[in-house]
Amino acid sequence: MENSTNNALPDIRHTGVFQAPIQKVWEAVATPEGLSAWFMPNDMQPIVGHEFHINAGPYGMSPCKVTEVDPPHRLAFRWGKDWTLSFELKELDGKTEVTLIHSGWSADQVTEFNQPHTIVRETMDQGWAGLHQKLGRYVEA
């Protein structure tokens, strides 16, 4: 593997509890309509091995592949050449704890656009903080 573990950077993790039933949150992270509503346009299907694209606007179409589907608790997919995006859902009395994990960071690597992971990770971490809140607003509406 080209990812040398000693230069791995920590995963981006955001966790929060949303006032929404787990099934509603699952549909927001595991369907193309749900994901498009708070993240980016896509043609994802919650089927392991399904290859799809996220429309990342100025960055173009990002290739992805679903790697894990365990409804309504966990969904993960590869994003681009380095990253994995995971959603972990936990039911709490009609509410849902949602953990979003963006992994695959390494100090040695650059993105498809030649940006060092170290710089992109910082920007993405802030971006995900906002997106996590946006997801919350979407499922609580």
Side-chain angles (χ1 to χ4, degrees), residues 9-27:
L9 300 168
D11 293 349
I12 293 174
R13 296 179 78 94
H14 291 279
T15 300
V17 176
F18 300 142
Q19 306 285 329
I22 195 166
Q23 195 57 42
K24 186 174 183 185
V25 180
W26 174 255
E27 283 166 23

Side-chain angles (χ1 to χ4, degrees), residues 3-119:
N3 240 348
S4 56
T5 44
N6 41 352
N7 288 319
L9 300 168
D11 293 349
I12 293 174
R13 296 179 78 94
H14 291 279
T15 300
V17 176
F18 300 142
Q19 306 285 329
I22 195 166
Q23 195 57 42
K24 186 174 183 185
V25 180
W26 174 255
E27 283 166 23
V29 300
T31 66
E33 302 78 20
L35 215 48
S36 295
W38 64 274
F39 184 39
M40 289 189 260
N42 66 89
D43 54 349
M44 194 268 288
Q45 292 298 325
I47 299 159
V48 171
H50 177 74
E51 295 185 18
F52 67 101
H53 286 85
I54 285 173
N55 183 343
Y59 296 104
M61 300 300 274
S62 256
C64 300
K65 184 176 185 174
V66 179
T67 53
E68 240 181 296
V69 181
D70 176 18
H73 300 288
R74 190 173 159 81
L75 176 89
F77 58 84
R78 296 275 307 156
W79 181 16
K81 65 181 180 62
D82 302 319
W83 297 326
T84 298
L85 209 50
S86 313
F87 299 97
E88 295 177 351
L89 312 184
K90 219 179 278 175
E91 197 160 15
L92 307 167
D93 279 337
K95 297 177 217 155
T96 308
E97 181 187 86
V98 180
T99 303
L100 182 155
I101 304 157
H102 185 168
S103 58
W105 301 98
S106 168
D108 297 338
Q109 287 179 274
V110 295
T111 67
E112 288 88 331
F113 304 99
N114 249 1
Q115 297 165 306
H117 274 202
T118 41
I119 292 170

